[in-house]
Amino acid sequence: MANNTDPSSSSSGASTEQNPLDESQGESAGLPAKSSVEIPSRIEPYALSRAAANDSRIVRNWAPLGTVDAGAIADCDPAGLVQMRNETWCLDWWIGAEDRWHHPSIDAAVRQRRIGDSPVLETAMRVPGGDIIQRVFGVRATSAVSDGSLWDDSAVIVEIENLTAVPVALALTIRPYLLDGIGSITSLGSAGSVISVDGAVAAVLSKSVARRVVGELGTVATRLANADDEQPDGTSTSAASCLEGAFVVALPHTAVVRILLPRSTRNEASSRSKKSSAQKPAPTAQWDAPDAGAIDAGWAAHTKQAARVELPDSTFDRVVARSESLLLLAATDEFFAASGTATAALRAAELCDTLVRVGLTEPLGPIARALLGQQRLRGSIRMPDRSDATVALLHVSAPLLAGKQQELWAEDLVGPVAQAIHRLSKGHGVASPSLLRSAVIALGRVAPSLRAVGQPEVADAAEELASSLWESVGLSAAARPSEGSDSAKRWMFAEGLSARSALAASDSSAITSIVELCRIGDQAVLPDCTDAQDLACGAMALDPAAVAVRVGAILDLALIEEPTGLVILPVWSDSWFGSPVEAHGLRTRWGVASFALRWHGERPALLWEVIPGSGVDPTGSGPQFTAPGLDPSWSATGWTGEALLAPMGPVVVASQPEAASSTDDQTGPAQSAPETAANPQVEAPREGDSFT
């Protein structure tokens, strides 16, 4: 934990620091004096400043920030502008370099990246002499309060680092904007390192404010450029609620200034955690919070047990890893929303299916309670668009009934799950082919969980219904979802669902569709809708259901679950010949499945393992495996095994020639093939013999 109190600064009273805007120091300190560069009268956020070049249409492009326990509490746009959710203001960062003031929202030399696979964003802005780096992320922070108590809550940390060779001035600007529109600020005050908006603590700096400029919206940037600043402490008000303030500190070479933005308490119901939503005192100048490196490591630990894939195109691997962190953070955002022609029930089912499949259990409890809150007397789970989310309830119930708190969840879920199974048996709750297929998978997964909590009769009913519905689904893919009459719009959820349907039918054209889908956004965030230029054009900057269905499509490239067994690599691309493939930790009705593909010349070699789940009989024969993309004639049954499949033709890697084999290519857990030229020992994956 980093202590963020600057010993040279005071938390109250006038600062003893040199004024970063003092013209007499400007040349020696590398800071701007009065600027001769024309400053726009109003510097708008990224989305608004680019609307003029986009037919006045606002492009909603930002990423969520937050913690696992509190969920998403803020959003950050591509220029590093941060808006705390439920607040009517945002935090911007302006840099006074030796030539002029630089504003990320309108400067061209700004780029952003994600650190690792976590929701930690790094924005860099080029100024004379090098880059100024901003990092922003959600944390759990603490602060010592004057009465001896401790403030402990979720917050956002903003770090600004000077990588240039000279000092610069940093103006942390509180602005009456939302990310995509006008907000409001009635009062704006500062005392030492604490900045308040409308009477509530909005930001706490790691050092005291040196100077400030506060005024009506549109006046601050010009005054700042003209060095028309004022004393650091004080409070200003505006009847028009359009106040804006720039709070300036010096940022020497290699120095880092940290800013704490406490979670908004305007709407306590937005928090997942009762602990984090309790009334607490405000943070003070004495506060502690982890740094960006620790947060990235923490997210990696949270997703360590989640599913992962290693496909020939590494883009797929990154999209899955980054999307898992994003879904862990913001899966419940827009949960009840419909999008395009997709109903809220279908979107909820796909989201819950992916969360269960990759093993992200944290969001499932809140989702289950939200769905139970929508259940009607006759058992339907009524979404706002009047669609029935019964299938989504079955998806989330499977891991909850088999988890560590299964006894607690059994009291809440067994009755509603039994009612849901009865509704599906009457033909309710499956209004589309895609939802019907999802229902079959959900029924198959929830059956072992019901046995684990002592409900064998309900489990038998679920399995019988799954078999019956599977006959209706057949082996063909569900119909392609309609994308509406507006051909200029692409609905991301519909495209992901269409790709999944194509993969279920072993249509290799789905690979191209998934590749195109992975090129949109930052390999984690996906909007609900894009235009012909792949720019967001819908109401949602982040559509968790679209993110989930894209992950589901990528996982389907590796492994598809069916009532009759598991399908490894349902399709194959000629460009993948000779490339190794791995998939680890995919949750199925039989348990946690993993496999690896290696090559022996022209022949693919498969190794697989399934760890039986709760309620699954480990003495059974195990699931049946097929691999139609590699060898349509091959199949095998067993919890673990290995097999050498038929030759596929020329490969792109060099290998030793093999003698023709006259023996059966398949080896399983009950067979042990001698290592000969005709039947070589299959190479184990890098992790060793165990896939977990």
Side-chain angles (χ1 to χ4, degrees):
M1 302 288 280
N3 188 298
N4 296 280
T5 303
D6 188 341
S8 65
S9 63
S10 171
S11 61
S12 62
S15 172
T16 59
E17 292 188 57
Q18 290 181 320
N19 178 6
L21 301 178
D22 190 336
E23 295 180 56
S24 65
Q25 304 170 39
E27 183 175 352
S28 62
L31 304 177
K34 289 184 179 180
S35 175
S36 60
V37 179
E38 183 178 354
I39 302 296
S41 60
R42 180 176 292 186
I43 299 171
E44 296 182 316
Y46 181 92
L48 299 181
S49 65
R50 283 151 179 79
N54 194 37
D55 298 326
S56 298
R57 181 167 50 80
I58 295 174
V59 176
R60 291 175 173 83
N61 180 14
W62 50 79
L65 304 167
T67 62
V68 173
D69 63 338
I73 61 174
D75 296 284
C76 179
D77 75 7
L81 187 73
V82 178
Q83 181 195 341
M84 303 302 293
R85 293 193 175 184
N86 304 314
E87 293 293 348
T88 59
W89 53 269
C90 63
L91 176 72
D92 208 347
W93 53 295
W94 299 346
I95 299 297
E98 58 188 7
D99 59 338
R100 62 179 176 87
W101 281 93
H102 295 255
H103 309 91
S105 295
I106 60 174
D107 272 31
V110 177
R111 62 267 187 213
Q112 188 177 83
R113 72 183 183 98
R114 191 173 293 266
I115 296 179
D117 298 323
S118 63
V120 179
L121 300 178
E122 181 179 271
T123 307
M125 180 167 63
R126 174 70 65 175
V127 300
D131 282 337
I132 305 297
I133 303 295
Q134 181 223 48
R135 288 177 290 271
V136 58
F137 47 91
V139 299
R140 188 81 185 186
T142 59
S143 177
V145 184
S146 57
D147 62 2
S149 61
L150 186 69
W151 175 86
D152 179 7
D153 204 351
S154 297
V156 167
I157 299 298
V158 180
E159 296 179 347
I160 313 290
E161 183 176 6
N162 180 6
L163 297 185
T164 72
V166 296
V168 298
L170 166 63
L172 295 163
T173 310
I174 304 290
R175 317 195 64 203
Y177 278 112
L178 310 178
L179 292 179
D180 59 351
I182 292 292
S184 67
I185 297 177
T186 301
S187 68
L188 194 55
S190 57
S193 61
V194 180
I195 301 173
S196 300
V197 175
D198 296 338
V201 173
V204 186
L205 284 61
S206 59
K207 61 193 304 183
S208 293
V209 174
R211 305 290 286 181
R212 73 175 197 169
V213 179
V214 177
E216 295 293 325
L217 179 63
T219 65
V220 170
T222 301
R223 288 180 56 195
L224 195 63
N226 293 326
D228 180 15
D229 58 279
E230 57 197 64
Q231 292 297 319
D233 294 346
T235 300
S236 302
T237 60
S238 168
S241 299
C242 280
L243 275 181
E244 181 177 37
F247 301 88
V248 185
V249 296
L251 189 61
H253 167 59
T254 71
V256 178
V257 170
R258 307 183 84 209
I259 306 98
L260 169 74
L261 304 177
R263 179 183 60 85
S264 173
T265 57
R266 287 179 185 259
N267 183 6
E268 297 292 352
S270 65
S271 175
R272 298 180 192 170
S273 168
K274 293 182 179 180
K275 179 179 178 181
S276 64
S277 64
Q279 289 290 340
K280 297 180 179 66
T284 67
Q286 305 283 340
W287 58 273
D288 290 300
D291 60 17
I295 295 301
D296 181 45
W299 281 100
H302 274 296
T303 57
K304 183 178 180 180
Q305 300 301 322
R308 63 183 179 86
V309 295
E310 295 181 21
L311 292 165
D313 187 341
S314 61
T315 300
F316 296 144
D317 313 349
R318 291 194 299 271
V319 169
V320 169
R322 293 182 174 185
S323 298
E324 286 174 344
S325 294
L326 184 69
L327 290 173
L328 188 58
L329 171 65
T332 56
D333 284 7
E334 308 290 351
F335 180 74
F336 291 102
S339 177
T341 58
T343 65
L346 177 57
R347 288 164 47 81
E350 289 293 321
L351 172 65
C352 295
D353 174 31
T354 296
L355 291 174
V356 172
R357 199 174 176 193
V358 300
L360 296 179
T361 58
E362 287 88 345
L364 298 182
I367 289 175
R369 298 200 183 282
L371 291 172
L372 291 174
Q374 300 297 116
Q375 192 167 37
R376 302 301 178 92
L377 290 177
R378 294 186 177 181
S380 67
I381 298 178
R382 185 69 61 83
M383 301 295 271
D385 64 349
R386 303 185 68 81
S387 60
D388 187 350
T390 294
V391 175
L393 178 64
L394 291 177
H395 276 300
V396 299
S397 297
L400 293 176
L401 290 174
K404 296 179 180 179
Q405 296 181 312
Q406 61 180 182
E407 294 183 1
L408 175 64
W409 281 110
E411 296 179 4
D412 296 333
L413 289 175
V414 168
V417 165
Q419 202 169 20
I421 295 171
H422 178 71
R423 278 189 59 78
L424 293 180
S425 69
K426 299 299 182 181
H428 302 301
V430 283
S432 69
S434 295
L435 201 53
L436 179 62
R437 186 181 186 92
S438 186
V440 172
I441 301 303
L443 287 165
R445 290 178 187 162
V446 80
S449 299
L450 289 167
R451 288 195 176 90
V453 294
Q455 298 292 326
E457 296 85 359
V458 184
D460 290 342
E463 289 180 335
E464 291 173 5
L465 180 57
S467 298
S468 175
L469 294 179
W470 183 244
E471 295 178 1
S472 301
V473 173
L475 298 178
S476 61
R480 178 183 176 90
S482 171
E483 297 178 17
S485 58
D486 189 353
S487 60
K489 290 185 177 182
R490 298 174 56 194
W491 294 98
M492 299 296 97
F493 179 84
E495 291 200 7
L497 198 61
S498 178
R500 293 200 67 187
S501 298
L503 287 172
S506 296
D507 182 354
S508 61
S509 67
I511 298 176
T512 301
S513 300
I514 299 172
V515 168
E516 293 178 356
L517 203 56
C518 290
R519 290 173 178 166
I520 299 173
D522 68 345
Q523 298 182 339
V525 175
L526 196 63
D528 60 340
C529 183
T530 63
D531 59 18
Q533 288 75 43
D534 289 338
L535 297 176
C537 62
M540 303 181 204
L542 166 65
D543 184 357
V547 172
V549 79
R550 181 173 64 177
V551 171
I554 295 173
L555 297 182
D556 284 349
L557 283 173
L559 186 76
I560 291 180
E561 177 183 353
E562 294 181 349
T564 54
L566 298 175
V567 182
I568 296 175
L569 297 170
V571 297
W572 187 256
S573 170
D574 290 343
S575 63
W576 293 357
F577 278 119
S579 299
V581 176
E582 292 186 23
H584 299 267
L586 276 71
R587 277 63 173 180
T588 72
R589 71 189 64 197
W590 292 277
V592 181
S594 305
F595 77 88
L597 169 69
R598 298 292 184 261
W599 292 87
H600 289 274
E602 298 179 352
R603 305 182 70 177
L606 279 177
L607 302 94
W608 70 89
E609 179 182 63
V610 178
I611 301 175
S614 178
V616 176
D617 181 8
T619 64
S621 59
Q624 181 186 59
F625 286 88
T626 57
L630 298 173
D631 184 352
S633 65
W634 174 81
S635 67
T637 301
W639 299 107
T640 62
E642 55 189 46
L644 195 61
L645 308 188
M648 295 187 65
V651 294
V652 295
V653 294
S655 61
Q656 295 296 324
E658 295 181 18
S661 173
S662 60
T663 61
D664 189 356
D665 292 334
Q666 176 184 330
T667 60
Q671 296 174 274
S672 178
E675 184 173 357
T676 65
N679 196 355
Q681 183 67 32
V682 179
E683 179 184 346
R686 289 189 300 272
E687 287 77 11
D689 293 332
S690 174
F691 289 89
T692 58

